Amino acid sequence: MISQMQPISRWAFLLALASLIMMDSFVVDAFASIHQTSTQESAVATAMMTTNPRHRRRVARTTTCQWMAAKNDKDEAQNEWGVPLSSTLPPLVEKPSSSSSRRLEHLPNGGHVTLLGSGPGDPDLLTVAAHRMLTEADPETTLVVADRLVSPEILELINCPYQVARKLPGCADLAQEEIYWWCYQALNQGKHVIRLKIGDPFVFGRGGEEVLTFREFGVEPKVVPGVSAAFSAPLLGNIPVTHRGCSNQVVMCTGYGREGTSPDLIQYHKEQTVVFLMAVGRLRELSQRLQTLAHYPAE
């Protein structure tokens, strides 16, 4: 591998993307866990008649998302799902009078939040702290609020009630408000909220946004880092993200900007490894744009 490092470094970004495709197996079809109404059962039936598995998931997610958006009349203080907007929720405790004041990690009723990284999906890659927290949680006083991409193997370890976000394509912002509402209610009940996130909470995981929202609720979350796919996924393709004399810098990029836009392209550098996260859906388009607009070699 070392003797072939030069060509590998040029295309490390593509092989890293190919490695990330393997993580698509961790995606849990949302319609499989949402099946209580005839409208949703119709969505599932429509999807199952589609022969292509990827198209089947896409049809079901789109149909279910449309159903959820139409389920409730929009109110000024609610989103399309009938979920209260986090910006309208009153603080659970009086906020500090100044930014320099110490924020509460525990509310007077005992409620508190942990932002927990679950790594790339393999339970063996959980940190010791994460494994202990999930397996030793008190079922009476703990609620886990998980990202949709958290693997089933990790969900099976959870020793307390948990809820999984319905972040279907096109519904991310709606689902994020639902996450905040679940957390807010549990905090108001004095529970320990474990906000379980894929990878590391602060690598394209809205970790910073959630910290700010929890602060608005009146609580300072504890953060437990996770192993990021940006470093673990390339290793599935035997690609070290750095190597002396070959790659002396690493750049992490998202495949999607806000509202589905394409992020600015990183210009090619022969001693640079570029890792794209959340880019499987536009792999072909991204590869072409990198060659034509960012001067990446074709081979």
Side-chain angles (χ1 to χ4, degrees):
M1 180 179 68
I2 300 301
S3 63
Q4 299 177 346
M5 195 61 61
Q6 183 62 28
I8 285 179
S9 67
R10 292 184 175 183
W11 284 104
F13 68 98
L14 283 181
L15 289 175
L17 278 171
S19 300
L20 289 176
I21 294 175
M22 298 179 66
M23 296 192 176
D24 196 43
S25 62
F26 298 144
V27 176
V28 180
D29 292 330
F31 64 82
S33 60
I34 308 173
H35 53 76
Q36 296 179 353
T37 69
S38 59
T39 303
Q40 290 169 306
E41 290 172 353
S42 175
V44 174
T46 300
M48 294 304 293
M49 289 188 294
T50 306
T51 56
N52 185 293
R54 286 185 176 273
H55 184 58
R56 182 163 64 240
R57 291 198 298 268
R58 185 168 61 253
V59 171
R61 290 168 180 169
T62 302
T63 307
T64 306
C65 190
Q66 291 171 344
W67 172 84
M68 288 186 289
K71 186 174 182 293
N72 295 287
D73 294 331
K74 188 174 182 180
D75 184 82
E76 289 185 0
Q78 298 179 338
N79 66 16
E80 288 89 339
W81 292 1
V83 176
L85 300 178
S86 58
S87 59
T88 67
L89 297 175
L92 296 169
V93 68
E94 184 177 352
K95 292 189 295 185
S97 57
S98 66
S99 58
S100 60
S101 300
R102 182 177 178 82
R103 299 183 177 90
L104 294 176
E105 293 186 358
H106 287 74
L107 297 173
N109 64 4
H112 58 291
V113 182
T114 301
L115 277 177
L116 187 67
S118 67
D122 188 337
D124 288 339
L125 294 180
L126 283 170
T127 63
V128 174
H131 187 275
R132 181 186 301 118
M133 192 169 294
L134 295 177
T135 57
E136 299 179 5
D138 184 345
E140 299 297 324
T141 61
T142 308
L143 173 68
V144 174
V145 178
D147 281 341
R148 182 173 62 89
L149 296 182
V150 173
S151 70
E153 292 84 356
I154 290 178
L155 293 178
E156 289 177 1
L157 297 175
I158 299 176
N159 192 42
C160 66
Y162 67 86
Q163 294 174 278
V164 179
R166 299 179 291 176
K167 283 195 175 182
L168 314 180
C171 297
D173 290 337
L174 293 170
Q176 189 65 38
E177 289 296 336
E178 185 175 50
I179 288 170
Y180 290 143
W181 178 230
W182 290 340
C183 294
Y184 184 90
Q185 293 177 95
L187 287 169
N188 197 35
Q189 296 168 4
K191 293 186 176 182
H192 177 199
V193 176
I194 299 177
R195 179 67 181 98
L196 186 61
K197 304 181 72 63
I198 190 72
D200 182 90
F202 292 91
V203 180
F204 299 118
R206 294 193 187 225
E209 297 175 31
E210 295 192 9
V211 166
L212 295 176
T213 298
F214 290 135
R215 287 177 179 174
E216 289 299 314
F217 292 167
V219 63
E220 182 71 18
K222 176 183 177 180
V223 177
V224 177
V227 177
S228 173
F231 303 110
S232 58
L235 293 178
L236 295 176
N238 291 323
I239 304 169
V241 292
T242 64
H243 185 76
R244 184 176 300 184
C246 180
S247 178
N248 56 28
Q249 50 188 289
V250 181
V251 180
M252 291 182 291
C253 305
T254 175
Y256 289 84
R258 292 182 66 88
E259 300 181 355
T261 59
S262 296
D264 293 337
L265 296 177
I266 302 297
Q267 294 298 306
Y268 173 72
H269 187 288
K270 66 179 182 179
E271 294 185 353
Q272 175 178 269
T273 302
V274 183
V275 181
F276 287 90
L277 300 176
M278 303 175 294
V280 173
R282 54 174 49 164
L283 176 60
R284 185 180 300 276
E285 172 193 351
L286 180 59
S287 300
Q288 293 174 344
R289 294 182 72 241
L290 286 170
Q291 293 178 52
T292 57
L293 300 177
H295 311 297
Y296 283 76
E299 297 182 356

